[in-house]
């Protein structure tokens, strides 16, 4: 059945309604597995340290706010995916809002994926070989990038194996962390750089608070900043929600609730085992919470779990980044040479810039900096997602609820965005705006007409860049 093209009013673009013979969507059980795979990953192993530095004893409140923002974004993503097939294909929101906003969303998505890959590489290094974190991070990023160029992609079968394994790691950390207290002389931070034993790594603390020797009192704004940093762990949830089938979208709140319970219990266990001061400065808090001379095997278990989670995340991040670069190049919003199709549809040239930039970031940037940049890009993208959802709030019977949900999500995303650490926020926004300017200028160049009979849904058209 040929999909019907419709004009979307004042959106200024064409959209395509989902055909009746749509591809098979994930079942509700698969939606839960994919949703948990999106949140039980790299973030679980890193976000508690910087968030604890800002939220202190109010860390659970920051976690609730981050999950609430992710759930509202997921509901908007699912609503849009149910209306337009383009969203399900691109996952960038391109074509759902005005063209300039669509390009901004694509660039934010791409920048977020790149920064997240660098953060995943550093988390792998900090847990597996903390004595040489930068070199190890570069190697693992390049290795995952090579797998991406070879056509390796994340699968549902892999998620079904990974999620139970990570849940097992989470249970071990919660049980051990809730029943013991770790002395400050066992710290992964001290192992990482030959530092004297102590409760915090000054390199990490310098990123979290201006003065690592005198942490300021916790404020409401600090809790919101912590929630913005915690959003790193849940940034993949809206993308998973956008791919959920119509019959399984009702499981999104249940999936978010499971993730919330897991992060709340894990956070409380880490606070009990390490204390807020040590947690705020530890580069590998989960390994510290269960490690030590009396339980070396459990420390190895956590490090193996971190390695599996980060490598899987890298493969997924590079797959999404490659698809984004290919889509932008296909519309002439990036140089066209980035988009030639390779074997089995893999756009190899499109993946190279994402891999190289991620490796450079992993070598020169601290993990909390890349974490903050990822959260910034994700919150900006999801804010645009809510704007698109407000333009199409839903059917008459659910229009009020859809408007309230998208409006609340938009406000929450913007609040968490502007309260992220200022320096990293400004640099990240400058990079995104520069990328947006490039994707705006390039389509203004004259392009040749496609050969007769080759124009289609994904083929760029003359004058289609604006």
């Amino acid at each position: 059945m040929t999909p019907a093209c419709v004009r979307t009013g004042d959106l200024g673009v064409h959209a395509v309604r989902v055909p009746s013979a749509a591809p098979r969507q994930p079942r509700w059980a698969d939606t839960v597995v994919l949703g948990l795979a999106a949140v039980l990953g790299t973030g679980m192993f890193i976000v508690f340290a910087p968030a604890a530095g800002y939220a202190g004893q109010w860390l659970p409140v920051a976690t609730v706010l981050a999950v609430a923002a992710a759930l509202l974004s997921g509901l908007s993503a699912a609503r849009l995916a149910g209306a337009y097939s383009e969203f399900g294909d691109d996952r960038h929101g391109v074509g759902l809002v005005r063209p300039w906003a669509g390009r901004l969303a694509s660039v934010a998505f791409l920048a977020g994926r790149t920064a997240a890959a660098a953060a995943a590489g550093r988390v792998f290094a900090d847990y597996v070989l903390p004595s040489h974190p930068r070199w190890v991070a570069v190697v693992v990023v390049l290795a995952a990038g090579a797998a991406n160029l070879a056509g390796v992609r994340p699968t549902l079968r892999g998620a079904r194996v990974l999620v139970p394994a990570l849940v097992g790691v989470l249970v071990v950390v919660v049980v051990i962390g809730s029943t013991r207290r770790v002395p400050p002389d066992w710290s992964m931070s001290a192992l990482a750089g030959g530092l004297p034993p102590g409760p915090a790594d000054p390199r990490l603390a310098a990123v979290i608070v201006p003065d690592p020797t005198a942490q300021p009192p916790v404020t409401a704004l600090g809790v919101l900043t912590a929630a913005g940093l915690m959003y790193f762990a849940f940034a993949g949830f809206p993308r998973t929600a956008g791919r959920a089938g119509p019959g399984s979208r009702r499981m999104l709140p249940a999936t978010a609730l499971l993730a919330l319970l897991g992060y709340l219990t894990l956070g409380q266990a880490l606070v009990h085992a390490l204390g807020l001061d040590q947690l705020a400065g530890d580069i590998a808090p989960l390994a510290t919470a269960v490690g030590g001379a009396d339980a070396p095997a459990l420390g190895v278990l956590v490090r193996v779990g971190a390695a599996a989670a980060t490598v899987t995340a890298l493969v997924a991040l590079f797959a999404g980044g490659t698809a984004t670069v290919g889509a932008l190049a296909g519309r002439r919003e990036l140089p066209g040479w980035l988009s030639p199709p390779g074997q089995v549809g893999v756009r190899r040239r499109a993946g190279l810039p994402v891999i190289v930039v991620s490796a450079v970031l992993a070598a020169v940037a601290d993990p909390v900096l890349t974490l903050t940049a990822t959260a910034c890009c994700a919150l900006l993208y999801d804010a645009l997602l809510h704007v698109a959802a407000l333009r199409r709030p839903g059917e008459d019977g659910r229009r009020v609820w859809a408007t309230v949900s998208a409006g609340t999500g938009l406000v929450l995303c913007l609040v968490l965005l502007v309260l992220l650490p200022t320096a990293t926020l400004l640099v990240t926004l400058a990079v995104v705006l520069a990328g947006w300017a490039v994707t705006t200028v390039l389509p203004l160049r004259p392009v040749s007409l496609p050969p007769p009979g080759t124009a289609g849904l994904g083929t760029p058209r003359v004058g289609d860049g604006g």
Side-chain angles (χ1 to χ4, degrees):
M1 177 178 178
T2 303
C5 294
V6 295
R7 191 75 180 177
T8 58
D10 63 348
L11 300 184
V13 295
H14 285 82
V16 179
R17 295 197 182 279
V18 179
S20 58
R24 186 180 69 86
Q25 300 292 340
R27 298 173 298 176
W28 69 266
D30 295 336
T31 298
V32 173
V33 170
L34 292 173
L36 292 178
V39 299
L40 298 179
T42 303
M44 184 174 74
F45 295 91
I46 186 177
V47 293
F48 289 103
Y54 280 105
Q57 70 273 21
W58 297 98
L59 182 61
V61 177
T63 305
V64 171
L65 289 173
V67 173
L71 175 59
L72 292 172
S73 298
L75 294 175
S76 289
R79 192 172 301 118
L80 291 170
Y84 306 115
S85 62
E86 285 180 344
F87 181 82
D89 294 337
D90 285 348
R91 304 190 301 277
H92 315 143
V94 177
L96 300 180
V97 294
R98 293 188 182 276
W100 68 266
R103 288 192 295 269
L104 182 61
S106 292
V107 173
F109 182 88
L110 178 59
R113 291 264 165 160
T114 304
R122 285 300 302 270
V123 171
F124 179 97
D126 288 335
Y127 274 86
V128 176
L129 194 61
S131 58
H132 300 86
R134 298 186 186 276
W135 289 109
V136 174
V138 171
V139 169
V140 73
V141 167
L142 293 178
N148 171 71
L149 298 180
V152 176
R153 295 293 183 270
T155 63
L156 176 60
R157 181 178 300 178
R160 290 171 177 167
V161 175
L162 180 66
V163 168
L166 293 180
V167 170
V169 171
L170 187 150
V171 170
V172 167
V173 176
V174 168
V175 171
I176 300 301
S178 300
T179 55
R180 61 173 292 188
R181 293 186 181 274
V182 177
D185 60 346
W186 171 252
S187 173
M188 296 296 291
S189 301
L191 296 178
L195 301 170
D201 181 354
R203 297 172 302 167
L204 187 59
V207 178
I208 298 173
V209 294
D211 183 4
T213 63
Q215 188 167 335
V218 175
T219 64
L221 294 181
V223 174
L224 291 172
T225 299
L229 295 172
M230 289 287 296
Y231 199 76
F232 171 88
F234 308 103
F237 183 79
R239 260 52 70 193
T240 300
R243 294 191 294 270
S248 57
R249 288 170 190 153
R250 63 181 181 274
M251 297 303 299
L252 295 178
T255 306
L257 178 60
L258 289 175
L260 174 62
L261 294 176
Y263 271 81
L264 286 176
T265 54
L266 178 59
Q268 290 300 103
L270 292 176
V271 170
H272 178 271
L274 305 178
L276 286 171
D277 291 337
Q278 185 173 352
L279 174 59
D282 202 305
I283 61 174
L286 272 68
T288 304
V290 303
D294 55 340
L298 294 179
V300 172
L301 173 66
V302 172
R303 288 189 282 273
V304 170
T310 51
V311 169
T312 303
L314 282 168
V315 172
L317 291 167
F318 285 142
T322 299
T324 306
V325 173
L328 289 170
R331 292 190 296 272
R332 298 297 187 267
E333 295 171 350
L334 285 179
W337 61 268
L338 289 172
S339 186
Q343 297 178 2
V344 201
V346 177
R347 301 174 185 266
R348 289 181 171 83
R349 291 186 186 178
L352 285 175
V354 181
I355 296 167
V356 172
V357 175
S358 297
V360 171
L361 285 176
V364 303
D366 288 314
V368 178
L369 294 177
T370 51
L371 179 155
T372 306
T374 303
C376 174
C377 293
L379 288 166
L380 175 60
Y381 172 85
D382 289 342
L384 294 170
L385 197 69
H386 290 303
V387 172
L390 286 171
R391 290 178 173 273
R392 191 191 184 282
E395 304 300 331
D396 291 339
R398 299 181 179 178
R399 188 173 300 274
V400 174
W401 159 247
T403 301
V404 171
S405 172
T408 305
L410 174 61
V411 172
L412 187 54
C413 283
L414 291 177
V415 169
L416 298 184
L417 173 65
V418 299
L419 291 177
L420 287 172
T422 304
T424 307
L425 171 64
L426 294 178
V427 171
T428 304
L429 290 180
V431 171
V432 172
L433 290 176
W436 171 80
V438 170
T439 60
T440 300
V441 171
L442 286 180
L444 299 180
R445 301 175 305 168
V447 295
S448 58
L449 287 170
T454 61
L457 180 60
T459 305
R461 301 183 297 274
V462 173
D464 202 29

